[in-house]
Amino acid sequence: SLSVSWGSEMCIRDSVAVLENVMNPTNLGAIFRSAAALGMDAVLLTSAGSDPLYRRAIRVSMGTVFQVPWAYVPEDWPALLRAQGFRTAAMALRDDSVRLDDPRLMQAEKLAVVMGTEGDGLADATIAACDFTVRIPMHHGVDSLNVAAASAVAFYQLGRRT
């Protein structure tokens, strides 16, 4: 069973962020701030990423690392999420990526938005383990956004599911 706790609050409802090896504390703090502002229920972290309690991450998050439940997840996190009824959406630029506004994403009862480390993005094995590979449509020849900016866009769109 997968549960995220923060104090006495238990929370795994329907929208979570999974951060695979996000190393930069500034990006991590910005992602937590977006998660709080845009209604994500929890943030799940792999152990190789930056510590949310690092001073810079706390500062950039405006303290939301103390408001949004979070936990480190084991290596088999895709199977744990699947067992809890989650669909997983890997944010990655691939030929087979679906658009962020794909109706299948909007219909998922429980959804985990999976974001990767700066530069390299998600590991191929992580993408393969996810139900969807998702891209944010871009204009003017821009191919991608910084992970913190992409998280805000993804959380806004996917946190609005009904």
Side-chain angles (χ1 to χ4, degrees):
S1 174
L2 178 67
S3 65
V4 177
S5 63
W6 190 253
S8 61
E9 179 182 354
M10 294 301 290
C11 177
I12 285 287
R13 289 188 291 268
D14 61 16
S15 298
V16 299
V18 180
L19 307 181
E20 181 181 75
N21 305 337
V22 173
M23 302 300 297
N24 184 299
T26 301
N27 285 336
L28 188 64
I31 293 168
F32 265 88
R33 188 171 176 184
S34 292
L38 300 169
M40 300 304 283
D41 295 319
V43 175
L44 306 176
L45 307 156
T46 60
S47 61
S50 186
D51 183 353
L53 299 179
Y54 182 73
R55 190 171 75 102
R56 181 75 178 149
I58 293 169
R59 186 169 175 224
V60 172
S61 81
M62 300 292 290
T64 58
V65 297
F66 300 115
Q67 296 171 348
V68 176
W70 60 271
Y72 288 101
V73 291
E75 287 184 30
D76 65 343
W77 62 262
L80 291 173
L81 285 173
R82 190 166 290 110
Q84 295 291 316
F86 279 86
R87 304 293 306 268
T88 49
M91 301 298 297
L93 300 172
R94 297 283 175 112
D95 291 338
D96 63 346
S97 296
V98 299
R99 289 172 49 103
L100 186 63
D101 60 356
D102 188 287
R104 293 172 291 177
L105 297 169
M106 300 307 287
Q107 293 166 358
E109 189 173 319
K110 290 181 165 188
L111 188 67
V113 180
V114 185
M115 317 276 312
T117 188
E118 300 86 349
D120 294 335
L122 292 169
D124 290 336
T126 301
I127 296 169
C130 288
D131 298 304
F132 303 99
T133 306
V134 181
R135 66 176 158 63
I136 298 169
M138 301 282 167
H139 299 280
H140 301 291
V142 176
D143 67 346
S144 66
L145 296 172
N146 164 282
V147 66
S151 73
V153 174
F155 298 166
Y156 174 79
Q157 175 68 27
L158 299 176
R160 304 183 306 144
R161 296 181 341 279
T162 55

